[in-house]
Amino acid sequence: MAADTAYLWEPEGEGIRLLAYRGFDTLAVVPENIGGRPVRALAPYLFSAHKNYSDPDHLEAHWYSCFGEKLSEEEAMELPEVKGDALRELRLPSALRQVGAYALYNCGNLRRLEFYASTADWGTGVFTGCTAIEELSVHVDESGKSCLKEVLAELRQTLKVSCHGQEESRLIFPEFFEEAVENTPARILVTNTHGCGQKYRNCFVRTQLQFQEYDGLFPHVKVQEPEKLVADLALGRVMYPCCLSRRSREAYMEYLGDHRRAAACAAVEREDTESLLWLLDHLSYEAEDLKAVIDAAGRRGNPAAVSLLMDKTRTAGEERETRRRRFAL
């Protein structure tokens, strides 16, 4: 059987350091172990198109296939490199401890990253040029500690974050950017921060996310961010209510009730059937609301959502007719 993925590695203690990755898929999955050794580190510039490994520097390097078989360099070279713009999704193993400097440098099409809390050492400039990342999935330990704070600090765009642990949470960290304005008379530069994303990224004590502080920022995000983003943030918190207080849940539910149409349209646009079903089950949608969402699903080309919403419309109509008949009696 021909290998569809090849890894170049060198020994590092009892584990290995990954030096190169080749394959046909735009999804790169770094395995837990290769050749019986755990993957402990990613080499600098591993997935960057700007630098390659050099044979003289890695005399103990070995090529292995995804089946655990040793490959010759000629066999490995038959597979394309997965780096730069070719990389769209990356999954890192729980055994990983270190990500080398600039390992993802200018991976401009990378959209999703999955990693574990145990990966504590992220090198300099790992996320430089990774402007397309929109989703993070992090596995946390029982204490809730993770390297999420360090990763978020390097990424300023809007990020959807899924945290997997004893309890699951779905969070949104909004975008922020800084603008330097010159104060000519004083001969100084004043830095202005736009967006509330920086406030959300500061909701950590050491490496633990403070959910109460995160939820306390909701009044700010309501007035500073677009309606659909705010609806998605609120929906994520009530669907996965990790450490969610009753007061915060009421605030989120009130917003979703007032913006139910935008929330449903956002779920349709990202083809999120789970969220759409939750909204339809927990909020009261009028016929006009459902019609608007059906139109949005049609424009999106989402037949599953259209079918689901049509069933909801028909059920709502039957319930109204039943109530009308009871009233008439």
Side-chain angles (χ1 to χ4, degrees):
M1 182 182 295
D4 59 4
T5 309
Y7 318 99
L8 179 69
W9 60 268
E10 65 180 359
E12 182 169 278
E14 296 181 356
I16 66 172
R17 177 187 297 271
L18 193 63
L19 301 174
Y21 187 108
R22 287 179 171 268
F24 291 108
D25 204 342
T26 57
L27 162 63
V29 180
V30 177
E32 288 287 342
N33 60 78
I34 303 173
R37 291 170 173 257
V39 179
R40 295 296 190 195
L42 304 185
Y45 291 92
L46 172 61
F47 290 103
S48 171
H50 296 271
K51 187 175 181 179
N52 293 307
Y53 72 94
S54 175
D55 285 330
D57 297 333
H58 304 283
L59 299 178
E60 296 185 71
H62 308 277
W63 280 105
Y64 267 79
S65 75
C66 54
F67 306 116
E69 302 169 342
K70 195 169 184 179
L71 298 175
S72 67
E73 185 168 358
E74 290 74 19
E75 290 175 315
M77 292 301 122
E78 293 177 0
L79 298 172
E81 293 180 303
V82 181
K83 55 172 46 184
D85 289 342
L87 180 65
R88 295 182 179 272
E89 184 175 348
L90 176 61
R91 297 178 188 171
L92 301 177
S94 61
L96 190 70
R97 297 293 179 267
Q98 180 186 48
V99 179
Y102 300 100
L104 300 173
Y105 179 63
N106 272 359
C107 291
N109 289 328
L110 178 62
R111 297 190 177 278
R112 186 178 187 275
L113 174 66
E114 183 174 350
F115 57 95
Y116 284 77
S118 51
T119 307
D121 186 356
W122 295 78
T124 302
V126 169
F127 297 104
T128 301
C130 296
T131 56
I133 294 180
E134 57 189 18
E135 185 177 347
L136 301 175
S137 179
V138 55
H139 299 265
V140 300
D141 58 25
E142 295 180 356
S143 67
K145 296 179 180 180
S146 75
C147 53
L148 179 59
K149 178 182 179 181
E150 184 177 353
V151 173
L152 288 172
E154 299 295 324
L155 298 167
R156 299 187 177 189
Q157 63 264 40
T158 297
L159 295 166
K160 296 180 180 180
V161 178
S162 300
C163 297
H164 310 281
Q166 286 186 316
E167 290 187 71
E168 186 169 348
S169 60
R170 299 284 177 89
L171 309 167
I172 290 182
F173 289 82
E175 176 187 22
F176 79 98
F177 66 94
E178 295 176 339
E179 178 186 28
V181 180
E182 182 180 4
N183 185 332
T184 304
R187 296 183 180 181
I188 60 173
L189 286 176
V190 179
T191 301
N192 297 323
T193 301
H194 302 275
C196 55
Q198 189 177 56
K199 291 185 177 69
Y200 275 89
R201 284 161 173 79
N202 288 334
C203 294
F204 288 84
V205 172
R206 296 186 177 89
T207 61
Q208 286 185 299
L209 177 65
Q210 305 300 299
F211 285 96
Q212 185 175 1
E213 187 174 345
Y214 179 96
D215 294 329
L217 293 173
F218 192 57
H220 297 277
V221 78
K222 285 196 298 183
V223 298
Q224 294 186 50
E225 301 295 338
E227 180 185 29
K228 288 183 179 180
L229 184 148
V230 180
D232 282 349
L233 187 152
L235 181 59
R237 288 299 286 135
V238 295
M239 285 184 66
Y240 299 90
C242 178
C243 302
L244 182 64
S245 68
R246 179 178 179 180
R247 181 177 179 181
S248 294
R249 186 182 190 282
E250 290 174 351
Y252 287 133
M253 288 299 295
E254 180 182 2
Y255 185 89
L256 288 171
D258 293 340
H259 301 266
R260 56 189 178 277
R261 186 181 299 186
C265 286
V268 163
E269 289 174 5
R270 62 176 182 272
E271 299 184 2
D272 186 349
T273 304
E274 180 187 12
S275 294
L276 182 60
L277 281 169
W278 193 96
L279 289 166
L280 295 175
D281 288 341
H282 290 81
L283 300 179
S284 298
Y285 281 87
E286 302 295 334
E288 291 183 359
D289 297 323
L290 293 172
K291 183 179 182 304
V293 182
I294 289 172
D295 290 342
R299 291 191 299 271
R300 179 67 178 180
N302 188 343
V306 171
S307 177
L308 181 66
L309 290 160
M310 291 295 289
D311 288 343
K312 180 67 176 180
T313 302
R314 182 167 53 254
T315 302
E318 291 172 354
E319 291 176 351
R320 286 195 300 271
E321 181 63 20
T322 300
R323 288 195 298 269
R324 187 187 67 79
R325 287 177 180 175
R326 288 177 179 172
F327 181 76
L329 292 174

